[in-house]
Amino acid sequence: MVVVAWLVLGTPERTPPEELTPKGLDAIATRAFAIVAGLGR
């Protein structure tokens, strides 16, 4: 149902950042750690 709604409403354009800053890398690492920690529980 989510996929149908996604397709009907249209998918947003995904534009990758021009440059990955240290702040962006830190955010990615923090989220990845949270996901791995959550899966291990």
Side-chain angles (χ1 to χ4, degrees):
M1 189 170 268
V2 172
V3 173
V4 172
W6 183 284
L7 293 173
V8 169
L9 296 174
T11 56
E13 290 289 324
R14 183 174 137 345
T15 55
E18 299 275 331
E19 180 179 315
L20 208 51
T21 62
K23 186 176 179 180
L25 286 173
D26 183 48
I28 292 170
T30 302
R31 289 185 181 122
F33 178 73
I35 291 170
V36 170
L39 289 175
R41 187 160 194 243

